[in-house]
Amino acid sequence: MTNLERAPNETVLRTGDPCATVEVLEPREVPLGGPRALTVYRALPHKTRSLVGAWCFLDHYGPNDVAKTGGMVVPRHPHTGLATVSWLFSGEIDHVDSGGNTARVRPGELNLMIAGSGITHQEISAHGSGELHGVQLWYALPEQSRHSPNGFVNYVPEPVSFGPLTARVFIGELFGSVSPVVTRTGDLLGAELRMSGGSSMSFSLRDDFEYALLAEDGPIKVGGVEVPQRAVAVIPTGSTTLEFEAGPQTTRVLLLGGVPLGESIVMWWNFVGRSHEEIVEYRARYQEEMGFEPLAPGHDSLPRLFGQFPPGQPAALPAPVLPNTRLKPRGSSRPANNSRPLA
């Protein structure tokens, strides 16, 4: 999925100092194009936090009636220095990318696309997919792998039970379930949790991880803190136990986690880089390769960064205009006002 904001903010993604609190991130609404735009609820990046582990982007959308809204129509667009994770609860999406991969994204299946040094892709609701409901996630690649070749992985995790909870672990390890997916970043976790209504439980955490819990279909409590539907609770490093309470109905939660990335990363539109100059170059090369703008003199001998695309697809999205000022550090993490200590 692309960031379709007309004037996306530049953000330096960097880890904040650890704090023993639950931080609640309220999402903001972002329309994904057109008069019948699909509304997504974006919790990351947030004005108070840019990263949870290496996770740097979290869009939550639906349930959405595709017949009424047109669903998801996101034409060809670029990515650098990150990986995208598509995870659906209902509906289907057709994925095409310039690495030669096509896939039908289905509920309960991980579709991981690693951009590496550069890739383009599109995501369009499958014909007759009915209700569309899911999340789109990005995580940042570290310095040692951000220039690696692009790649694509599909994985279907088996559900595992732990007390009143059922989990599908699509990245990392939890409750004895281990995903075989190689992420090319530090230790990472991604899982869908289902818990019976009114139940509560606690389980151990890795104290070197940061965690985020998306209250997907109703309010929850994390460490005694109320987390409204669509909001995200962030748990800092140093925490060893998670206390989690479901809402009155069967509750679905998305659990993300990871070791802090430990690198400052500039993210603008769909590009992740390390400096203003890199972002400017990524944009210029994408615009030239898509036929929107010529490259500056002396740069026309550069190899293609974003690959070839199958014929007969919708036209690519042009990149937004860069801000008039230099891209610079912003968006450092700090605990929200409605936080409280964790174990």
Side-chain angles (χ1 to χ4, degrees):
M1 186 183 296
T2 182
N3 179 0
L4 288 178
E5 294 174 281
R6 292 183 179 273
N9 290 329
E10 69 272 21
T11 306
V12 165
L13 308 182
R14 57 186 178 187
T15 55
D17 294 331
C19 58
T21 61
V22 176
E23 181 182 355
V24 178
L25 308 181
E26 294 279 0
R28 58 191 177 93
E29 295 185 17
V30 178
L32 282 187
R36 298 190 302 167
L38 171 68
T39 297
V40 300
Y41 299 84
R42 184 162 297 160
L44 282 176
H46 193 272
K47 62 183 179 181
T48 65
R49 174 176 286 271
S50 298
L51 285 165
V52 176
W55 297 103
C56 61
F57 187 89
L58 193 166
D59 271 1
H60 176 217
Y61 53 88
N64 180 272
D65 187 341
V66 174
K68 292 181 179 179
T69 67
M72 183 180 295
V73 182
V74 183
R76 186 182 184 185
H77 57 279
H79 289 294
T80 61
L82 59 85
T84 68
V85 170
S86 298
W87 184 260
L88 290 178
F89 308 123
S90 63
E92 296 184 345
I93 297 170
D94 286 328
H95 165 100
V96 178
D97 69 45
S98 59
N101 304 293
T102 60
R104 176 65 60 89
V105 184
R106 296 182 172 89
E109 297 185 12
L110 168 71
N111 283 270
L112 169 69
M113 185 186 75
I114 298 179
S117 58
I119 199 169
T120 55
H121 75 137
Q122 70 180 27
E123 294 156 301
I124 299 176
S125 296
H127 180 70
S129 59
E131 182 183 84
L132 185 63
H133 187 189
V135 292
Q136 179 76 9
L137 314 167
W138 302 351
Y139 62 81
L141 294 172
E143 182 63 36
Q144 64 265 30
S145 63
R146 71 187 184 102
H147 295 301
S148 60
N150 56 58
F152 186 85
V153 178
N154 172 268
Y155 169 62
V156 184
E158 292 292 329
V160 294
S161 296
F162 186 81
L165 183 150
T166 300
R168 285 178 169 82
V169 182
F170 50 86
I171 286 177
E173 179 178 1
L174 187 70
F175 305 138
S177 178
V178 181
S179 168
V181 173
V182 176
T183 62
R184 302 189 203 169
T185 189
D187 287 354
L188 209 61
L189 172 66
E192 177 189 320
L193 310 180
R194 294 296 301 269
M195 195 164 167
S196 55
S199 59
S200 62
M201 66 175 301
S202 64
F203 56 86
S204 298
L205 300 177
R206 282 184 52 166
D207 63 4
D208 59 340
F209 265 36
E210 298 172 319
Y211 292 91
L213 292 92
L214 168 66
E216 196 282 313
D217 59 356
I220 60 174
K221 284 186 178 181
V222 177
V225 175
E226 297 278 356
V227 184
Q229 183 184 7
R230 299 190 188 275
V232 170
V234 178
I235 300 171
T237 57
S239 302
T240 58
T241 304
L242 171 63
E243 296 177 356
F244 167 49
E245 298 178 46
Q249 308 298 324
T250 299
T251 299
R252 180 163 49 207
V253 172
L254 190 76
L255 175 63
L256 305 175
V259 174
L261 185 65
E263 299 180 28
S264 292
I265 302 175
V266 180
M267 183 168 76
W268 178 84
W269 194 41
N270 299 309
F271 304 125
V272 168
R274 295 299 187 273
S275 67
H276 171 90
E277 289 76 16
E278 278 193 347
I279 299 298
V280 171
E281 179 182 339
Y282 292 150
R283 182 190 181 278
R285 292 176 69 174
Y286 172 73
Q287 291 290 91
E288 190 276 335
E289 289 182 27
M290 298 304 110
F292 297 125
E293 300 174 19
L295 279 174
H299 292 80
D300 53 3
S301 62
L302 292 172
R304 291 184 66 88
L305 186 63
F306 295 104
Q308 302 291 337
F309 217 64
Q313 303 300 325
L317 290 172
V321 176
L322 282 159
N324 292 327
T325 57
R326 183 180 176 82
L327 303 181
K328 57 186 180 180
R330 55 188 291 173
S332 59
S333 302
R334 61 182 183 275
N337 292 331
N338 54 340
S339 58
R340 59 164 288 174
L342 254 191

